[in-house]
């Protein structure tokens, strides 16, 4: 039954191949994108939530 | 650069917080009721509006869309303004969103107990409400994208990415899964049938978990956890990888809900592979959250907010390791249809969503009311009650799930099932269900204490409706600094491009999963003997849907010897081609019904639905006395036939004009048969229709077998 289903789709073998290629390329690009990122930029982004532009901000927990 | 002054809108956040707390308590109370019904059936209250079959979807919808949904909007509206240094795009849209969402919840709370349901899990709401959800979701997205466009912060922090992905993906899921043909204002049929309907439904169901219960909450984790810990996130690079890999992989994993069912094998394998891969981004996210607290663990000892968040992030990690493990076929063979799945879901729901919500509420409320939390010790009590609640919920359900499964599968030395009677397996786990209810009660008690604490906090402070802030406006022309290359900022300051790319990422997985099953007719081998339902059976099926039978009974015999011994032949894809919607179910509180036809007499079904306990001693199924008084609405027959023909069921031309005659004839046959057994019944009573439907289940395939054996006998 399993074989019948798969044989009834033309060139089914290309299907997992396409999935794999898309997947592989996606992650390659993602890793390249992340690891070549500028350190200064990453640090700026990291700090973003901690200053929210509120005057006399009470939104940070009192440091002890 | 001149600083601009503006204010953050806390008022709409406050409204969403109130809705979160109120619906949280309601949803948990309904859940506790459902839990108690499973060992004291008396708590079904003998009315048709409060049976487990109708209450369970009410609980899931209340928790997912009312509790978690409202909390998500509160968190998004609070954090988004501050991350983008601007007020929301439009206060009017914010309020339309708020009130629209509450009206949808109200409509759900009314329609579900009335039995108006599509029966597709977590998408039970009928078509007019589906349209309302679409409209309000667009309002939410419009408000969000508008806010992003008028921002004063050039680059979008990772939390905003998660919010965008949430908006986009939930929209796509909702539109695709809600394709249904209306019959009346309160009734529709799914546009898909059988295997295709199941695939779409679980692509939706799984990704509702991904993009309604996970991505917005990860966004909130990336904002509120650093705020509460007062230190930046551990690794921003990891959060980028976390985001893209999560949204890209999650979308492919839906078929793991359908392992060993009639779904084509290749689709099942695809789901398994991607589920295993999901461990990586999920754990990356969990570690990123926990590592953010490095050097702040001493504060975790004192701050209830951080305690809640630590347990939430840990529960996220546990649930996202367990999910992929459950999607391994050998593990799934044991866990599927049992209480194990319920435990798994609640580790995520109670632990991850619930605890993150509590942590965020304890953090936001004192700040919005410009005061201190009324009582830290009450918050600590809440924390321990909640944690114990989760343990008392999950552990008994794990034990219960394994016990159930092993009892279902046990053979004796002669090769017969040891527990031939399904009821034995039900009675065995009742004490565990009682423990589970205790766990739920503890958790609810904690939430009540929190409500008191938050109310006292609000009364002690003064609400800041508009929080003053200042920030420099964005310059019109932006050039990325030359240092460090160009590519790392091609996205973070281009919201529209970003949105489109997120959409592409989730569509790829969706397409690869769905396209073959939809384009290739021969994916579903047809079985000649399978015919559309008769009008009476159709009415019966709709009653089955209305009563929520699918919440306890599956219609999917998996290809294991233990199941074929107990129920009969395993289910084939071709058996479901006329099932709009499919009714495979996802939990066996009672036995599978796919092969019910001919197993019991009409009189047995009659008595069983009237008083289940009298027929099967110890049964926890509620009685359905109203089925004997209410009559079938024959005026709807023609509409149902026409609607089903529109979605591809091959009813003959003009069949609707004679359908009711056929219905009467079949009903008379059942009524006469009952009379022979000494039972007087109204021919039009709903019970007759449901008996007709139950006696049809699996009949076609049995006929197919009989036909083929006879032909074999004739041609040796």
């Amino acid at each position: 039954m399993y074989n019948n289903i798969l044989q009834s789709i033309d060139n089914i073998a290309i299907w997992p191949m396409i999935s794999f290629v898309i997947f592989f390329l996606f992650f390659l690009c993602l890793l390249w994108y992340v690891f070549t990122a500028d350190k200064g930029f990453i640090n700026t982004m990291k700090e973003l939530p901690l200053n929210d532009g509120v005057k006399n901000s009470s939104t940070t927990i009192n440091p002890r | 650069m001149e600083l601009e002054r503006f204010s953050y809108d806390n008022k709409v956040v406050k409204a969403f917080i109130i809705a979160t707390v109120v619906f949280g308590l309601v949803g948990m109370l309904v859940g506790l009721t459902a839990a108690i019904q499973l060992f004291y059936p008396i708590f079904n209250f003998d009315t048709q509006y409060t049976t487990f079959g109708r209450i369970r979807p009410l609980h899931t919808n209340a928790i997912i869309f009312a509790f978690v949904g409202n909390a998500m909007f509160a968190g998004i509206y609070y954090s988004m303004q501050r991350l983008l240094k601007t007020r929301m795009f439009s206060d009017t849209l914010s309020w339309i969103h708020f009130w629209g969402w509450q009206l949808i919840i109200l409509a759900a709370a009314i329609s579900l107990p009335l039995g108006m349901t599509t029966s597709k899990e977590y998408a039970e709401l009928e078509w007019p409400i589906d349209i309302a959800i679409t409209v309000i979701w667009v309002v939410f997205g419009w408000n969000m994208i508008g806010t992003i466009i008028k921002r004063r912060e050039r680059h979008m922090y990772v939390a905003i990415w998660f919010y965008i992905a949430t908006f986009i993906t939930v929209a796509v899921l909702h539109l695709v899964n809600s394709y249904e043909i209306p019959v009346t204002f309160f009734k529709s049929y799914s546009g898909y049938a059988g295997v295709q309907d199941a695939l779409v439904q679980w692509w939706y169901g799984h990704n509702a978990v991904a993009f309604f219960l996970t991505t917005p909450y990860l966004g909130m984790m990336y904002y509120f956890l650093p705020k509460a810990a007062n230190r930046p996130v551990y690794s921003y690079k990891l959060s980028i990888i976390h985001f893209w890999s999560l949204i890209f992989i999650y979308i492919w994993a839906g078929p793991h809900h359908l392992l060993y069912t009639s779904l084509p094998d290749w689709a099942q394998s695809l789901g398994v592979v991607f589920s295993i891969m999901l461990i990586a981004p999920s754990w990356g996210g969990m570690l990123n959250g926990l590592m953010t607290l490095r050097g702040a663990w001493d504060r975790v000892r004192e701050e209830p907010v951080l305690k809640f968040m630590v347990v939430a992030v840990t529960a996220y990690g546990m649930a996202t390791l367990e999910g992929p493990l459950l999607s391994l076929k050998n593990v799934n063979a044991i866990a599927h249809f049992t209480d194990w799945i319920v435990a798994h879901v609640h580790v995520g729901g109670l632990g991850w969503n619930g605890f993150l919500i509590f942590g965020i509420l304890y953090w936001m409320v004192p700040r919005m009311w410009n005061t201190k939390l009324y009582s830290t010790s009450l918050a600590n009590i809440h924390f321990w009650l909640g944690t114990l609640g989760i343990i008392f919920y999950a552990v008994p359900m794990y034990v219960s799930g394994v016990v159930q499964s092993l009892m279902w599968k046990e053979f004796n030395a002669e090769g017969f099932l040891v527990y031939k009677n399904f009821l034995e397996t039900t009675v065995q786990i009742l004490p565990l269900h009682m423990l589970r209810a205790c766990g739920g009660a503890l958790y609810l008690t904690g939430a009540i204490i929190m409500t008191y604490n938050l109310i006292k906090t609000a009364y002690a402070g003064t609400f800041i409706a508009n929080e003053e802030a200042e920030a420099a406006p964005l310059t019109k022309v932006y050039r990325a600094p030359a240092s460090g290359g160009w590519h790392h900022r091609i996205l973070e300051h281009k919201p529209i491009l970003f949105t489109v790319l997120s959409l592409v990422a989730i569509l790829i997985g969706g397409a690869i999963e769905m396209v073959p099953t939809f384009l290739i007719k021969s994916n579903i081998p047809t079985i000649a003997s399978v015919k559309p339902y008769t009008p009476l059976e159709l009415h019966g099926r709709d009653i089955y849907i209305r009563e929520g039978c699918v919440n306890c009974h599956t219609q999917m015999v998996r290809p294991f010897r233990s199941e074929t011994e107990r129920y009969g032949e395993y289910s084939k894809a071709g058996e479901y081609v006329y099932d709009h919607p499919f009714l495979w179910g996802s939990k066996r509180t009672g036995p599978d019904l796919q092969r019910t036809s001919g197993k019991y007499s009409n009189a047995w079904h009659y008595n069983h639905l009237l008083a289940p306990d009298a027929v099967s001693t110890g049964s926890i199924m509620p009685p359905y006395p109203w089925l004997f008084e209410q009559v079938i609405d024959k005026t709807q027959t023609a509409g149902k036939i026409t609607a089903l023909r529109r979605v591809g069921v091959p009813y003959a031309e003009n069949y609707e004009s004679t359908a009711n005659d056929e219905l009467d004839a079949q009903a008379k046959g059942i009524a006469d048969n009952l009379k022979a057994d000494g039972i007087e019944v109204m021919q039009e009573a709903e019970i007759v229709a449901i008996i007709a439907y139950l006696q049809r289940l699996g009949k076609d395939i049995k006929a197919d077998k009989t036909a083929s054996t006879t032909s074999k006998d004739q041609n040796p």
Side-chain angles (χ1 to χ4, degrees), chain B residues 466-485:
Chain B
N466 299 298
E467 197 170 353
E468 296 299 327
E470 52 187 20
L474 287 190
T475 46
K476 283 276 179 285
V477 182
Y478 174 70
R479 283 215 182 84
S483 66

mmCIF file of all heavy atoms in Angstrom, chain B residues 466-485:
data_model
loop_
_atom_site.group_PDB
_atom_site.id
_atom_site.type_symbol
_atom_site.label_atom_id
_atom_site.label_comp_id
_atom_site.label_asym_id
_atom_site.label_seq_id
_atom_site.Cartn_x
_atom_site.Cartn_y
_atom_site.Cartn_z
ATOM 1 N N ASN B 466 -1.354 56.728 31.184
ATOM 2 C CA ASN B 466 -0.436 57.082 30.106
ATOM 3 C C ASN B 466 0.939 57.319 30.692
ATOM 4 O O ASN B 466 1.148 58.296 31.406
ATOM 5 C CB ASN B 466 -0.919 58.343 29.388
ATOM 6 C CG ASN B 466 -2.278 58.119 28.762
ATOM 7 O OD1 ASN B 466 -2.434 57.269 27.892
ATOM 8 N ND2 ASN B 466 -3.277 58.844 29.251
ATOM 9 N N GLU B 467 1.856 56.432 30.388
ATOM 10 C CA GLU B 467 3.197 56.554 30.963
ATOM 11 C C GLU B 467 4.058 57.440 30.065
ATOM 12 O O GLU B 467 4.262 57.140 28.889
ATOM 13 C CB GLU B 467 3.820 55.165 31.113
ATOM 14 C CG GLU B 467 5.000 55.150 32.065
ATOM 15 C CD GLU B 467 5.457 53.732 32.393
ATOM 16 O OE1 GLU B 467 4.778 52.763 31.998
ATOM 17 O OE2 GLU B 467 6.499 53.604 33.041
ATOM 18 N N GLU B 468 4.542 58.551 30.654
ATOM 19 C CA GLU B 468 5.323 59.513 29.871
ATOM 20 C C GLU B 468 6.678 58.931 29.475
ATOM 21 O O GLU B 468 7.328 58.269 30.275
ATOM 22 C CB GLU B 468 5.551 60.796 30.691
ATOM 23 C CG GLU B 468 4.268 61.551 31.034
ATOM 24 C CD GLU B 468 3.518 62.013 29.794
ATOM 25 O OE1 GLU B 468 4.189 62.322 28.783
ATOM 26 O OE2 GLU B 468 2.266 62.036 29.817
ATOM 27 N N ALA B 469 7.095 59.211 28.256
ATOM 28 C CA ALA B 469 8.419 58.759 27.816
ATOM 29 C C ALA B 469 8.961 59.739 26.799
ATOM 30 O O ALA B 469 8.239 60.617 26.304
ATOM 31 C CB ALA B 469 8.317 57.378 27.183
ATOM 32 N N GLU B 470 10.250 59.636 26.505
ATOM 33 C CA GLU B 470 10.826 60.466 25.446
ATOM 34 C C GLU B 470 11.890 59.691 24.689
ATOM 35 O O GLU B 470 12.581 58.837 25.252
ATOM 36 C CB GLU B 470 11.399 61.765 26.022
ATOM 37 C CG GLU B 470 12.347 61.575 27.168
ATOM 38 C CD GLU B 470 12.735 62.917 27.801
ATOM 39 O OE1 GLU B 470 12.001 63.913 27.604
ATOM 40 O OE2 GLU B 470 13.764 62.951 28.470
ATOM 41 N N ALA B 471 11.959 59.968 23.398
ATOM 42 C CA ALA B 471 12.967 59.305 22.565
ATOM 43 C C ALA B 471 13.179 60.140 21.316
ATOM 44 O O ALA B 471 12.322 60.945 20.936
ATOM 45 C CB ALA B 471 12.500 57.903 22.179
ATOM 46 N N ALA B 472 14.333 59.958 20.700
ATOM 47 C CA ALA B 472 14.613 60.692 19.467
ATOM 48 C C ALA B 472 13.840 60.075 18.313
ATOM 49 O O ALA B 472 13.685 58.857 18.256
ATOM 50 C CB ALA B 472 16.108 60.640 19.183
ATOM 51 N N PRO B 473 13.326 60.907 17.402
ATOM 52 C CA PRO B 473 12.625 60.342 16.241
ATOM 53 C C PRO B 473 13.620 59.669 15.297
ATOM 54 O O PRO B 473 14.820 59.907 15.384
ATOM 55 C CB PRO B 473 11.997 61.571 15.585
ATOM 56 C CG PRO B 473 12.877 62.704 15.983
ATOM 57 C CD PRO B 473 13.410 62.368 17.349
ATOM 58 N N LEU B 474 13.093 58.848 14.395
ATOM 59 C CA LEU B 474 13.974 58.226 13.400
ATOM 60 C C LEU B 474 14.322 59.240 12.331
ATOM 61 O O LEU B 474 13.492 60.070 11.943
ATOM 62 C CB LEU B 474 13.243 57.061 12.714
ATOM 63 C CG LEU B 474 13.041 55.794 13.531
ATOM 64 C CD1 LEU B 474 12.523 54.699 12.616
ATOM 65 C CD2 LEU B 474 14.318 55.347 14.205
ATOM 66 N N THR B 475 15.554 59.182 11.855
ATOM 67 C CA THR B 475 15.905 60.044 10.732
ATOM 68 C C THR B 475 15.267 59.459 9.474
ATOM 69 O O THR B 475 15.065 58.255 9.366
ATOM 70 C CB THR B 475 17.423 60.077 10.553
ATOM 71 O OG1 THR B 475 17.895 58.733 10.631
ATOM 72 C CG2 THR B 475 18.092 60.912 11.633
ATOM 73 N N LYS B 476 14.968 60.364 8.528
ATOM 74 C CA LYS B 476 14.271 59.924 7.312
ATOM 75 C C LYS B 476 15.115 58.924 6.516
ATOM 76 O O LYS B 476 14.639 57.905 6.052
ATOM 77 C CB LYS B 476 13.945 61.150 6.443
ATOM 78 C CG LYS B 476 12.753 61.938 6.976
ATOM 79 C CD LYS B 476 11.439 61.335 6.486
ATOM 80 C CE LYS B 476 10.225 62.080 7.016
ATOM 81 N NZ LYS B 476 9.948 61.784 8.435
ATOM 82 N N VAL B 477 16.385 59.297 6.333
ATOM 83 C CA VAL B 477 17.227 58.437 5.506
ATOM 84 C C VAL B 477 18.151 57.655 6.419
ATOM 85 O O VAL B 477 18.785 58.224 7.309
ATOM 86 C CB VAL B 477 18.071 59.289 4.529
ATOM 87 C CG1 VAL B 477 18.915 58.382 3.627
ATOM 88 C CG2 VAL B 477 17.149 60.179 3.714
ATOM 89 N N TYR B 478 18.207 56.350 6.210
ATOM 90 C CA TYR B 478 19.048 55.539 7.077
ATOM 91 C C TYR B 478 20.117 54.844 6.260
ATOM 92 O O TYR B 478 19.830 54.213 5.252
ATOM 93 C CB TYR B 478 18.207 54.500 7.815
ATOM 94 C CG TYR B 478 19.050 53.545 8.623
ATOM 95 C CD1 TYR B 478 19.722 53.978 9.769
ATOM 96 C CD2 TYR B 478 19.195 52.211 8.242
ATOM 97 C CE1 TYR B 478 20.502 53.112 10.507
ATOM 98 C CE2 TYR B 478 19.971 51.338 8.977
ATOM 99 C CZ TYR B 478 20.622 51.785 10.110
ATOM 100 O OH TYR B 478 21.396 50.932 10.835
ATOM 101 N N ARG B 479 21.346 54.995 6.713
ATOM 102 C CA ARG B 479 22.431 54.228 6.095
ATOM 103 C C ARG B 479 23.061 53.361 7.165
ATOM 104 O O ARG B 479 23.476 53.873 8.198
ATOM 105 C CB ARG B 479 23.495 55.172 5.525
ATOM 106 C CG ARG B 479 23.072 55.806 4.229
ATOM 107 C CD ARG B 479 24.285 55.983 3.306
ATOM 108 N NE ARG B 479 23.861 56.634 2.064
ATOM 109 C CZ ARG B 479 23.746 57.959 1.950
ATOM 110 N NH1 ARG B 479 24.040 58.729 2.965
ATOM 111 N NH2 ARG B 479 23.351 58.482 0.815
ATOM 112 N N ALA B 480 23.125 52.082 6.912
ATOM 113 C CA ALA B 480 23.774 51.206 7.887
ATOM 114 C C ALA B 480 25.242 51.557 7.939
ATOM 115 O O ALA B 480 25.853 51.823 6.909
ATOM 116 C CB ALA B 480 23.600 49.753 7.468
ATOM 117 N N PRO B 481 25.823 51.587 9.140
ATOM 118 C CA PRO B 481 27.247 51.889 9.243
ATOM 119 C C PRO B 481 28.073 50.907 8.419
ATOM 120 O O PRO B 481 27.704 49.731 8.289
ATOM 121 C CB PRO B 481 27.550 51.703 10.731
ATOM 122 C CG PRO B 481 26.259 51.560 11.418
ATOM 123 C CD PRO B 481 25.196 51.298 10.412
ATOM 124 N N ALA B 482 29.143 51.417 7.862
ATOM 125 C CA ALA B 482 29.954 50.571 6.981
ATOM 126 C C ALA B 482 30.632 49.439 7.746
ATOM 127 O O ALA B 482 30.881 48.375 7.206
ATOM 128 C CB ALA B 482 31.013 51.416 6.277
ATOM 129 N N SER B 483 30.911 49.705 9.021
ATOM 130 C CA SER B 483 31.634 48.683 9.778
ATOM 131 C C SER B 483 30.758 47.444 9.956
ATOM 132 O O SER B 483 29.555 47.533 10.130
ATOM 133 C CB SER B 483 32.012 49.233 11.153
ATOM 134 O OG SER B 483 30.821 49.446 11.884
ATOM 135 N N GLY B 484 31.428 46.292 9.900
ATOM 136 C CA GLY B 484 30.709 45.056 10.197
ATOM 137 C C GLY B 484 29.841 44.564 9.067
ATOM 138 O O GLY B 484 29.032 43.662 9.246
ATOM 139 N N GLY B 485 30.006 45.149 7.881
ATOM 140 C CA GLY B 485 29.282 44.606 6.728
ATOM 141 C C GLY B 485 27.832 45.069 6.706
ATOM 142 O O GLY B 485 27.333 45.672 7.644
#
